[in-house]
Amino acid sequence: MPVIAVIGAQWGDEGKGKIIDLLAEKADVVARFSGGPNAGHTVVNPYGEFRLHLVPSGIFYPYVLCLIGNGVVVSPSVLWEEIEQLRAHGVDTSRLFISQRAHLIMPYHLLLDKLEEESRGKKALGTTRSGVGPAYVDKVARLGIRMEDLLDKENLHHRLQMVLEQKNAILTKVYGVPPLFLEEVYQQCCQHGESLGQFIRQIDPLVQQAVERKEKILLEGAQGSLLDIDFGTYPYVTSSSSTAGGGCVGLGLSPTKVDHIFGVFKSYITRVGGGPMPTELRDETGELIRGRAHEYGATTGRPRRCGWFDAVAARFSAQINGFSGAILTRLDILDTFASIKICTGYKVDSDKLNYFPSSAVVLEKCQPIYEELPGWQSPIDHLHHFDQLPPQAQSYVKQLEELIGCPIVLISVGPRREQAIELRPLW
Ligand code: GDP
Ligand code: IMO
Ligand code: MG
């Protein structure tokens, strides 16, 4: 019966795609509720290796209904390419549906994401440049184009005319770049309407029916809680609510219907893009983690910044989301280390902080206070039971559990579905 939300608990790329692909085996519905093609969810399964940006990671099970909710911003070209790629690998996409209310990423959003980043100079946020931020700006400014607009050509033309007038003024007068042509943008939209029209649906009734039928529903979080527009390291954040609350507004699901909220944590931490990161390792240990884990962005290919597990940030994340369980991924990456550090507090000048500050300026000044644990220095990627783990690995997990403040329910020890240690039944 349960509805489970799977939420990124750090700065994204925690392994949500792998976890969803694993849990979806027993699910009836998998739904994306926020973010857009800035997400890159890696799934490694018998169909191959995929980096999904928009399609929910439950798509590989032909019986699972896959929904893209109203809270997502959709790039029609990225989505279409993804659908074609999946089909080419023999994946059935006939149970994929997109909310009629989801907003589109338009050509001017892509341009503006790039131009705005360039104009920030050294203070650039390091966005994925996928147009996500500008698309959410237009949603809030009530200037957005929604999926359902693709199906009403007359209204689409009318809205585009109005919106483009404003966008072209910004492009030409603020940034000094050429304007976009109404008819060209309109024709592109009409083409997208033709290819994607079959997928556009009213999603909220589908969600509600599934709840009434007591089906198993998985909410697939995107990004991470520390990138959340409200609770992340503002302004170095994404433009949507990536925390658990976003799951309800992004799908039309009542908060009373969510049974479990699982936070996905890497066994260390990474960040891609700008912004403070107290435990970042700018040394050979950081290089070692990046090399072993191949920490390069699934969307942009940028090297990810790597560091030790930050338990201050983790506890904050657990509290604002109300995690009922934590999922630990990539424990195998730490196999070769003689000792492993965990950040349990911050030092700012001569003060000690044991909470996650709201100000990015303060966080930038935070020096990690570490606790050091012995490593296990043996491979664990083939293990399936907690008691098979070396004692040092068990201690590390127990210590993280204590510091995060909620039970660890699953440990992932490799990218493939079967590389997992279940500590308690998840459904
Ligand atoms: P997401 O955005 O949260 O879905 O995460 P990404 O796909 O961007 O990055 C996670 C990376 O870790 C991917 O390359 C996964 O294949 C990989 N991965 C996930 N879980 C594990 C694990 O337990 N061990 C190892 N070695 N790799 C993992
Ligand atoms: P998944 O779902 C990691 C980061 C970008 C940048 C900031 C703002 O794969 O975990 P944006 O393009 O959203 O305006 O960029 O957010 N970012 C992510 N980092 N994983 C993601 O998604 C991310 N989505 C956005 O790098 O720092
Ligand atoms: Mg990712």
Side-chain angles (χ1 to χ4, degrees), residues 197-389:
Q198 57 188 308
F199 298 99
I200 303 171
R201 281 283 196 295
Q202 293 200 29
I203 293 299
D204 35 309
L206 294 180
V207 173
Q208 275 130 34
Q209 275 163 25
V211 169
E212 272 162 32
R213 291 190 201 124
K214 302 194 184 315
E215 291 180 351
K216 294 189 173 81
I217 304 174
L218 268 179
L219 311 189
E220 177 173 354
Q223 287 74 56
S225 302
L226 307 178
L227 288 170
D228 182 272
I229 183 74
D230 287 279
F231 292 100
T233 47
Y234 197 87
Y236 298 95
V237 292
T238 191
S239 303
S240 61
S241 299
S242 44
T243 39
C248 297
V249 274
L251 278 172
L253 175 71
S254 163
T256 60
K257 306 293 183 208
V258 181
D259 300 286
H260 295 294
I261 303 172
F262 294 152
V264 187
F265 294 85
K266 251 179 217 183
S267 304
Y268 46 98
I269 202 164
T270 61
R271 169 161 214 174
V272 57
M277 178 181 173
T279 64
E280 179 171 13
L281 293 163
R282 294 191 182 89
D283 58 7
E284 65 270 23
T285 310
E287 288 293 333
L288 207 67
I289 296 178
R290 186 176 308 113
R292 256 186 79 67
H294 198 75
E295 288 290 3
Y296 294 89
T299 301
T300 57
R302 289 176 292 175
R304 294 176 183 150
R305 300 155 64 192
C306 300
W308 294 119
F309 191 90
D310 185 336
V312 184
R315 201 176 182 85
F316 170 71
S317 183
Q319 284 164 349
I320 55 169
N321 283 290
F323 291 147
S324 50
I327 294 174
L328 202 59
T329 63
R330 302 203 117 186
L331 188 61
D332 54 301
I333 297 300
L334 301 178
D335 280 356
T336 56
F337 290 88
S339 74
I340 299 165
K341 291 183 184 172
I342 305 173
C343 167
T344 55
Y346 302 139
K347 242 182 87 181
V348 191
D349 304 322
S350 55
D351 295 332
K352 202 184 152 197
L353 278 194
N354 56 6
Y355 61 89
F356 194 70
S358 56
S359 156
V361 179
V362 175
L363 194 62
E364 196 67 70
K365 292 188 200 153
C366 285
Q367 294 300 319
I369 300 170
Y370 286 122
E371 173 183 312
E372 199 159 348
L373 271 71
W376 46 94
Q377 296 188 283
S378 63
I380 59 164
D381 61 353
H382 57 291
L383 303 177
H384 291 286
H385 299 284
F386 185 73
D387 52 16
Q388 294 171 331
L389 285 173

Side-chain angles (χ1 to χ4, degrees), residues 144-180:
I145 307 289
R146 309 204 298 182
M147 291 306 291
E148 65 185 357
D149 295 328
L150 295 181
L151 306 178
D152 179 349
K153 290 187 179 172
E154 201 179 315
N155 181 47
L156 173 68
H157 197 274
H158 173 72
R159 269 190 79 72
L160 267 181
Q161 189 166 20
M162 185 258 301
V163 175
L164 264 184
E165 237 169 71
Q166 201 219 61
K167 297 297 164 191
N168 278 337
I170 296 171
L171 289 173
T172 56
K173 293 180 187 154
V174 177
Y175 293 107
V177 299
L180 292 172

